[in-house]
Amino acid sequence: MTATVTKPPAPPARHVRRARRSRRSREMWLLMLPALVPVVLFSVGPLLYGIGLAFTDARNTRAHETTFVGLDNFVQLMGDDDFWSSFRIGVVWSVSVTVLQFLAALGLALLLNQNLRFRGVARVLAVVPWAMPPVVIGLMWKLVYHPDAGILNSLLGTDINWLADFSLALPAIIVVGVWTGMPQTAVVLLAGLQGIPRELYEAVEVDGAGRWRRFWNITLPQLKPVIVAITSLDFVWNFNQFGLVYVLTQGGPGGRTRLPMLFAYEEAFRYRYAGYASMLGLAMAIVVLAVLGLYLWRQMREAR
Amino acid sequence: MRMKSALAAAAVVALAAACGSGGSGGSGGEAAKPGEPVKLNFLSLAWQKESLAANKQLVEEWNKANPGIQVTYVQGSWDNVNDQLVTQFAGGTAPDVIHNDSPALSGFAADGYLLDLSDKLPAELKSDIPQQSWDTVTFDDGKGKQGVYGVPFLQESQVIIANKKLLDAAGVRLPTTEQPWTWDEFSAAAKKMTKDGTFGVAWPMKSPVNKTLNLALNFGGTFFQTAEGKTTVKVGPEEKQVLQRIHDQLYKDKSADPAALGQGTADPLPAFYKGKFAMLPAGVYLRQQVAEQAPDGFEWVTLPPLKGTTTQQGAVSQTLSIAQDSKHPDEAMKFISFFLNGPNQAKLAKGDWLLPTSVKAAADPSITTKENGWDVATASAKALVVAPFLKVNGFDEWKSKVATPVLQEYYANKITIDEAAKRLVEDGNQVLERYQR
């Protein structure tokens, strides 16, 4: 449509076309309105409000008068050791969950793509974790990790309090995170695998390529767009994970699993520093966008 | 076409207005029309079976006797009550009558969410509860004025629940309320009972802060000091006593079961019934679970609180408060004074296996019997004094950000006592600073 408009057509037609175009765009807006209203009211509005809060000393209290403090919250955030340790935990968590999730899901997808017996059943079973809400998953794994009654300890014959141990708690929740996110990654990868033309495999088979070469030279490059998309989405999801960890450890023991979002929650709802928590949320959003932007930009450039 | 867009725009405006005004909806019950009963919401945190029954029964009794003031029982949970209240207060939907505990009140009082009850308390209720208990709910309103922000009704003291067979076998002197064990005697007894795979004691220290701080008063350890209106953390020789003694039991005497260390207070009970250890220091309420769950033939006793230089322990109390935004504070007060009168407090105390603040309730025969250690438990209330940390603004953040990890690491033998003290003070003062601007 834009192409037709930019070409200067004959004067009389131009007038008609502009009128038609403006009517069209008006219709378009009108049709979009029902969808736009909730987005503006419930997403854009609160978002802007949250960004605004980040530059004030707002507190969740009745007696407090909120004033504008500029970048004070940001300065405080940069000097806050607790924030940095929480940020480090967040990075360790989201990178390791995303990478492990991807590797496990790729394996699962390759397996489910084989001509196995009961493939249909296996595919359905693989998606089951996806159907569970994070809170239910959290409760279930809490039972698995339970120091006395948990099946993990009885399987291993150990007596470890997994979720309360300073060095084991983070790895323990990473395992849960991987388990939780694996199905959707696997399903997306499986879809990608099925989109690879068979002829490519047949062609390299003629050349005498083995399994490994086929995987390395055909499957991976063909899957690349899907891999980029799903890992970047996974990264965002994992970085913003809250419910699962809140149920499992509440950020304990001693803050060893306090992901950035849990930290923000505590600041806002336990210590009632709403302004500071908003700045934290804003900083996290910027970090995620920056990492994602860099990653996608590099991938795009390579693809070109 | 134009007509339609105008309509749509009007709809958007109306919707936005509706959403905007939705937040200011009244707190608790609606304003009563004449002839209609006043409605109150009562957020209760009762969770033990007997206590739930007692709470609900009292509400029912009240509703029958007072058709003009109808109370709705709302169930809450200790796990998330403060998070819930912060959002409800901010949204203007908080219940009228709120069950909580005194450490949480200081923050809500300073933030202006709770009603100052000092002028509303009926004389009878006021005189039935000793001043020392009222002190646990008297806080600064954030502007330098002191007010009473709740009615204290249940208190907890730390006692020791012991396996009678192992205790008798060790042949140690049995402590009594008049002649309690000193910490030295306690350590010696624990050492004696440690043999053949059985430990003398178990310290479940998943949430170590309140337990440690309350016991620290045995040696005069207050952990906080206030000078010139500025509160700072203090960890001196008095504060280190209890820390060191528990640590010694774990790593020097090896008389404490290491498996229990990371557990919550009630988690080691199955091991306790199996005789894996002989003594479990715990709040008086834990007797309920022991009495109900212990296998047949398991004999247990309640030992009185330990003595350091004194037997003093820090006390916090469960409380009922009224929301500042409640539309019917006077009716709410009436309900509270009924709910917490002597006989009713005895019922609630019995239901929760805790100690009543009411003088009348404490004399009730049902909570002074020898059965299930009630006599020892009720007598231990005498040693309760206001926990110093109650009045510290920012204690909650100090507790979860600094003290919990530091004490957990110290009890897990990952850091030395000096390192622990240093972090409690230095990191702690940084946190407190934030609340004293």
Side-chain angles (χ1 to χ4, degrees), chain B residues 357-420:
Chain B
T357 53
S358 153
V359 178
K360 274 184 222 148
D364 193 292
S366 69
I367 56 170
T368 47
T369 84
K370 272 212 161 349
E371 199 187 332
N372 291 329
W374 272 108
D375 52 343
V376 175
T378 305
S380 69
K382 288 199 189 75
L384 293 179
V385 295
V386 179
F389 60 79
L390 265 187
K391 314 271 174 181
V392 175
N393 210 350
F395 169 72
D396 192 32
E397 189 173 344
W398 177 77
K399 176 178 157 183
S400 63
K401 274 196 186 159
V402 182
T404 303
V406 167
L407 290 183
Q408 279 175 345
E409 282 177 49
Y410 172 65
Y411 288 135
N413 206 17
K414 291 202 161 72
I415 52 175
T416 66
I417 193 160
D418 293 319
E419 253 173 281

Side-chain angles (χ1 to χ4, degrees), chain A residues 4-258:
Chain A
T4 48
V5 176
T6 41
K7 265 183 210 157
R14 188 181 179 181
H15 180 74
V16 175
R17 234 176 241 174
R18 195 199 278 157
R20 192 186 295 155
R21 190 175 153 243
S22 89
R23 210 166 88 206
R24 256 210 189 155
S25 86
R26 193 139 47 105
E27 271 169 33
M28 184 188 78
W29 279 106
L30 199 68
L31 287 173
M32 270 171 64
L33 201 63
L36 221 54
V37 168
V39 170
V40 169
L41 266 183
F42 301 118
S43 292
V44 180
L47 188 72
L48 293 178
Y49 180 63
I51 293 176
L53 270 187
F55 299 97
T56 67
D57 64 348
R59 295 205 56 193
N60 280 328
T61 72
R62 193 172 187 274
H64 183 76
E65 269 182 37
T66 303
T67 50
F68 181 79
V69 293
L71 286 173
D72 272 14
N73 285 331
F74 186 72
V75 173
Q76 194 192 338
L77 192 66
M78 290 299 108
D80 189 343
D81 292 342
D82 287 322
F83 163 70
W84 287 111
S85 74
S86 162
F87 185 71
R88 257 196 310 277
I89 292 165
V91 170
V92 170
W93 154 267
S94 45
V95 169
S96 49
V97 170
T98 308
V99 168
L100 293 173
Q101 220 169 45
F102 167 69
L103 293 177
L106 185 63
L108 188 65
L110 287 172
L111 189 71
L112 291 178
N113 201 30
Q114 300 296 316
N115 237 334
L116 299 170
R117 251 211 281 189
F118 305 118
R119 189 169 64 171
V121 181
R123 280 183 184 174
V124 171
L125 282 180
V127 222
V128 164
W130 199 2
M132 285 197 238
V135 174
V136 175
I137 295 175
L139 290 173
M140 195 182 82
W141 277 88
K142 224 176 162 173
L143 291 179
V144 171
Y145 284 134
H146 194 281
D148 295 323
I151 54 169
L152 190 61
N153 272 343
S154 68
L155 270 181
L156 299 176
T158 49
D159 196 15
I160 300 168
N161 197 347
W162 299 92
L163 295 174
D165 190 284
F166 275 76
S167 44
L168 289 176
L170 189 58
I173 62 163
I174 286 177
V175 169
V176 183
V178 172
W179 186 84
T180 315
M182 215 172 73
Q184 67 249 46
T185 315
V187 167
V188 172
L189 290 176
L190 183 59
L193 280 175
Q194 295 189 333
I196 301 175
R198 291 223 65 84
E199 298 82 52
L200 290 175
Y201 289 110
E202 281 158 16
V204 288
E205 254 163 57
V206 173
D207 290 347
R211 264 168 190 279
W212 182 243
R213 283 201 66 100
R214 262 184 293 164
F215 174 73
W216 198 249
N217 291 339
I218 305 289
T219 313
L220 266 191
Q222 288 286 319
L223 264 186
K224 197 161 184 194
V226 178
I227 293 176
V228 172
I230 192 66
T231 44
S232 40
L233 280 177
D234 276 345
F235 178 77
V236 177
W237 277 328
N238 291 327
F239 198 79
N240 290 333
Q241 179 61 260
F242 175 82
L244 192 66
V245 183
Y246 183 75
V247 172
L248 277 170
T249 62
Q250 297 220 330
R256 293 301 155 95
T257 58
R258 191 191 280 131

Side-chain angles (χ1 to χ4, degrees), chain A residues 86 239-242 259-266 280-281 284-285:
Chain A
S86 162
F239 198 79
N240 290 333
Q241 179 61 260
F242 175 82
L259 303 186
M261 290 307 133
L262 279 162
F263 187 68
Y265 173 82
E266 281 182 6
L280 223 152
M284 287 301 108

Side-chain angles (χ1 to χ4, degrees), chain A residues 62-63 256 265 267 271-272, chain B residues 83 111-112 325 400-401 434:
Chain A
R62 193 172 187 274
R256 293 301 155 95
Y265 173 82
E267 286 298 324
Y271 316 129
R272 300 162 214 170
Chain B
D83 299 359
D111 292 349
D325 290 329
S400 63
K401 274 196 186 159
R434 200 177 176 190

Side-chain angles (χ1 to χ4, degrees), chain B residues 217-231:
Chain B
L217 276 181
N218 282 172
F219 293 93
T222 55
F223 277 92
F224 294 96
Q225 59 193 0
T226 303
E228 293 158 18
K230 205 168 161 333
T231 303

Side-chain angles (χ1 to χ4, degrees), chain B residues 300-382:
Chain B
W300 59 281
V301 288
T302 305
L303 304 180
L306 299 175
K307 188 175 176 205
T309 47
T310 66
T311 55
Q312 283 190 350
Q313 288 187 5
V316 301
S317 41
Q318 291 189 24
T319 56
L320 289 188
S321 311
I322 300 177
Q324 178 77 51
D325 290 329
S326 168
K327 292 215 172 67
H328 310 289
D330 294 319
E331 287 85 351
M333 191 68 238
K334 274 188 205 149
F335 170 69
I336 291 179
S337 33
F338 158 80
F339 201 77
L340 300 184
N341 67 24
N344 288 346
Q345 269 206 37
K347 277 184 209 161
L348 292 169
K350 205 158 183 292
D352 251 332
W353 294 64
L354 285 167
L355 316 171
T357 53
S358 153
V359 178
K360 274 184 222 148
D364 193 292
S366 69
I367 56 170
T368 47
T369 84
K370 272 212 161 349
E371 199 187 332
N372 291 329
W374 272 108
D375 52 343
V376 175
T378 305
S380 69
K382 288 199 189 75

